[in-house]
Amino acid sequence: MPKKDADVIVIGGGIIGTSIAYQLSKRGKKALIIEREDLCTGTSGSCDAYITPHTKKPGFHLGLCLESMKLYKELEEELGDDLEYWQKGGFQPCEDELSFQLVSENAKDLMAGGLEVKMMNIDEFRSYEPNMSPNLVGALHCPSACQINPFKVVMSYARNLKKLGSQIMTNTEVTDLLWEDGKVVGVQTDKGEFYADYVVNATGCWGAQIARMAGLEAPIEPRRGQIIVTEPTSTVIKTTMQSGMYLVIKFHPEKITDERTKRLGSGFCIEQTGDGTILIGFTREFMGYDKSTTLEGIEYIISEGCKYLPGLRDMHVIRTFSGFRPFVADGLPLIGPVDGIPGFIMAAGHEGDGVALSPITGKLVAEMIVEGQPSYNIDAFSPNRFVKQA
Amino acid sequence: MAETNKDVLICRCQEVTLAMIEEAIAEGAFSVDGIKKRTRAGMGLCQGKSCERLVEKIIAEKTGQAPADILPATSRPPVRPIKMGTIEGERNA
């Protein structure tokens, strides 16, 4: 192998790639991030900003989210930047008895999994969020839910990892992997060859293409989510909210009669950012890499939004945007080394959990590389579940 | 050239100064979207209608790129702020 350019090459400069590179740098390794466009340009730059443990599957998934939230709490001080971390609590409002019932059942599992949540009737819910519609049935409350600014997190990781001696190359596209004796030893890019002991694939929605270069068929697909942004306003909602309808769509799709919801739906979700704009979402659509926003999608979000929060009718939309979520059919990301492909590590496929799981993913991948194994068992995330047995 | 006031506002909606934009370029921004992500310039009520050209010009000056090569920000609907009730009413009319 020619001279090493870094200890680890991380492909992808989003909230996963920068987190991994930062955690490696903290442990004394030199990382080199290779990013096709600019930092925070893919999913991390076009998403929501909330971290909601109550929407995670109780058990392993929830446990990891809680570990990640602990890390976020310490991160502002550690990185020395304001990341707009804000523990404001979250609600899961329910528009009908069925969703209230499903959310109530899920609440029991969440509590058994160690998460503090409480079911509230509509009056109690509206004592917290008086602008919500009185026609709703009730809501689940989760006091530990929080919000973070993904742009600030990515840029802060970037600043800090550079201070620690690691590097970032933007505008640089990986076109192939480089091999030596059956081991991945670097990447071929449009700006030349780069060598390292390990290559990490943190390219989210584009993870399947890079994995294919390594000979791994990773079933990661882009799933489009459209979101609308309002003008800045005084506080309309104090918490983040994701409707319980999401559970109905997920677990009882046969109960959904509205064609549009079947096609686009994921329920209603909303958050108000520090500067007063409100983000309302979102759709879930398989459209390849088409990043447009559509009138149908926007209308769907607005009609759902107005049902839950009638005051939205008098507010202005200033922008719509869409982003891809890296969807994996079994709902779990691919994190870790791959059997038969030494030197290559996957860290992609977080779908809607990239922001939430960024700190813990960075930490665990860095531990795998530096210490040989992660401090938290993530065998369930192993990409080996997709390795075809010869 | 006269000395430039670094505190001059480039993006009025989000109160982003020339100094903040130059700092973002120094940190690696090379496109209008890159400036936006790092400073919020162009994220306000007017969605960059006032500042986008200025931001392009500053990037061109600082990075030596030709203005025509600088990637513009992604344009998204609506062109002007629109009441949600109007969109909802259209559908249900």
Side-chain angles (χ1 to χ4, degrees):
Chain A
M1 177 168 104
K3 193 179 166 296
K4 271 199 316 192
D5 297 282
D7 296 314
V8 182
I9 289 171
V10 178
I11 314 174
I15 203 160
I16 299 296
T18 52
S19 173
I20 293 169
Y22 167 70
Q23 293 290 345
L24 284 164
S25 311
K26 219 174 95 175
R27 288 166 176 75
K29 295 285 176 188
K30 298 287 176 236
L32 168 62
I33 293 180
I34 298 189
E35 160 59 46
R36 181 171 57 173
E37 294 180 47
D38 190 4
L39 297 174
C40 208
T41 295
T43 303
S44 316
S46 49
C47 58
D48 300 290
Y50 49 74
I51 300 160
T52 51
H54 55 287
T55 62
K56 307 294 171 256
K57 214 181 279 176
F60 172 67
H61 210 186
L62 171 62
L64 261 188
C65 180
L66 295 175
E67 289 292 318
S68 213
M69 284 165 66
K70 275 189 222 156
L71 294 174
Y72 262 129
K73 270 188 189 166
E74 300 154 8
L75 213 50
E76 280 191 330
E77 199 182 320
E78 188 179 314
L79 297 176
D81 282 316
D82 174 15
L83 307 176
E84 295 176 19
Y85 174 87
W86 190 359
Q87 190 185 328
K88 48 166 48 176
F91 279 103
Q92 204 168 13
C94 302
E95 62 183 272
D96 57 19
E97 290 296 341
L98 173 65
S99 57
F100 191 79
Q101 183 202 329
L102 285 174
V103 169
S104 304
E105 283 165 20
N106 195 46
K108 287 180 200 145
D109 295 340
L110 290 167
M111 283 187 278
L115 184 66
E116 186 195 343
V117 292
K118 186 188 171 193
M119 292 307 293
M120 291 183 180
N121 66 24
I122 184 63
D123 294 331
E124 194 176 2
F125 171 38
R126 290 185 78 234
S127 71
Y128 282 81
E129 293 286 13
N131 293 321
M132 297 301 284
S133 167
N135 299 326
L136 301 170
V137 175
L140 172 145
H141 184 224
C142 174
S144 60
C146 55
Q147 191 169 301
I148 196 96
N149 182 330
F151 295 116
K152 294 214 163 171
V153 174
V154 172
M155 299 307 169
S156 182
Y157 277 143
R159 267 193 293 278
N160 278 277
L161 68 91
K162 282 196 272 190
K163 268 188 227 161
L164 292 166
S166 288
Q167 288 175 288
I168 299 172
M169 289 183 69
T170 52
N171 240 336
T172 306
E173 183 166 4
V174 170
T175 53
D176 211 346
L177 299 176
L178 300 169
W179 302 78
E180 208 173 275
D181 302 327
K183 179 183 181 300
V184 175
V185 293
V187 295
Q188 175 72 51
T189 75
D190 56 358
K191 306 247 169 83
E193 297 176 347
F194 299 93
Y195 291 87
D197 297 329
Y198 292 92
V199 173
V200 179
N201 176 8
T203 57
C205 292
W206 295 267
Q209 286 86 318
I210 300 287
R212 197 164 297 133
M213 294 173 189
L216 174 71
E217 286 301 319
I220 304 171
E221 284 176 76
R223 194 179 210 184
R224 184 171 74 186
Q226 303 186 42
I227 297 177
I228 66 175
V229 187
T230 72
E231 62 197 321
T233 152
S234 54
T235 305
V236 174
I237 49 155
K238 290 176 270 192
T239 60
T240 75
M241 286 183 248
Q242 296 79 32
S243 71
M245 192 47 76
Y246 172 69
L247 287 182
V248 181
I249 294 166
K250 200 165 166 186
F251 297 114
H252 292 276
E254 75 284 355
K255 308 264 190 193
I256 306 287
T257 50
D258 179 48
E259 279 302 316
R260 234 176 11 152
T261 302
K262 278 187 196 168
R263 205 165 49 245
L264 301 171
S266 64
F268 156 81
C269 72
I270 190 163
E271 72 196 19
Q272 189 157 14
T273 64
D275 78 327
T277 58
I278 300 177
L279 302 187
I280 313 165
F282 49 91
T283 60
R284 276 172 197 252
E285 314 156 79
F286 290 109
M287 302 297 296
Y289 290 100
D290 175 358
K291 213 178 176 179
S292 343
T293 56
T294 63
L295 185 57
E296 189 192 31
I298 295 163
E299 281 178 344
Y300 170 74
I301 292 167
I302 289 176
S303 62
E304 284 296 302
C306 294
K307 186 163 70 186
Y308 283 84
L309 183 57
L312 288 177
R313 291 192 176 94
D314 292 320
M315 295 178 57
H316 289 87
V317 181
I318 62 168
R319 186 179 178 82
T320 59
F321 67 88
S322 85
F324 305 120
R325 322 289 163 230
F327 168 83
V328 180
D330 64 8
L332 301 175
L334 285 76
I335 304 176
V338 190
D339 283 350
I341 315 173
F344 184 71
I345 292 173
M346 286 291 298
H350 292 70
E351 195 168 8
D353 291 333
V355 172
L357 298 183
S358 154
I360 191 73
T361 302
K363 181 171 180 245
L364 296 176
V365 171
E367 285 170 351
M368 285 177 192
I369 290 172
V370 179
E371 285 143 39
Q373 62 173 18
S375 56
Y376 197 96
N377 183 325
I378 51 166
D379 287 350
F381 291 172
S382 169
N384 289 331
R385 67 192 193 271
F386 299 114
V387 174
K388 289 199 181 70
Q389 299 303 322
Chain B
M1 203 175 97
E3 195 180 319
T4 318
N5 178 3
K6 300 277 184 192
D7 293 329
V8 66
L9 286 179
I10 301 296
C11 169
R12 286 181 293 181
C13 303
Q14 296 285 335
E15 298 182 5
V16 181
T17 63
L18 175 61
M20 290 156 81
I21 290 177
E22 289 184 353
E23 193 186 317
I25 295 168
E27 273 200 358
F30 54 84
S31 65
V32 178
D33 266 335
I35 296 290
K36 184 174 166 178
K37 285 175 216 307
R38 290 169 176 86
T39 67
R40 299 189 67 81
M43 274 192 180
L45 198 58
C46 88
Q47 287 291 303
K49 286 181 189 70
S50 327
C51 65
E52 179 163 351
R53 289 296 179 87
L54 285 169
V55 170
E56 266 174 21
K57 195 166 158 257
I58 300 165
I59 299 170
E61 277 175 15
K62 292 283 162 193
T63 65
Q65 295 178 78
D69 293 339
I70 294 167
L71 291 174
T74 316
S75 293
R76 294 284 198 187
V79 174
R80 291 196 180 81
I82 180 169
K83 247 188 200 175
M84 279 189 248
T86 308
I87 299 178
E88 193 203 18
E90 284 284 319
R91 198 184 88 81
N92 296 330

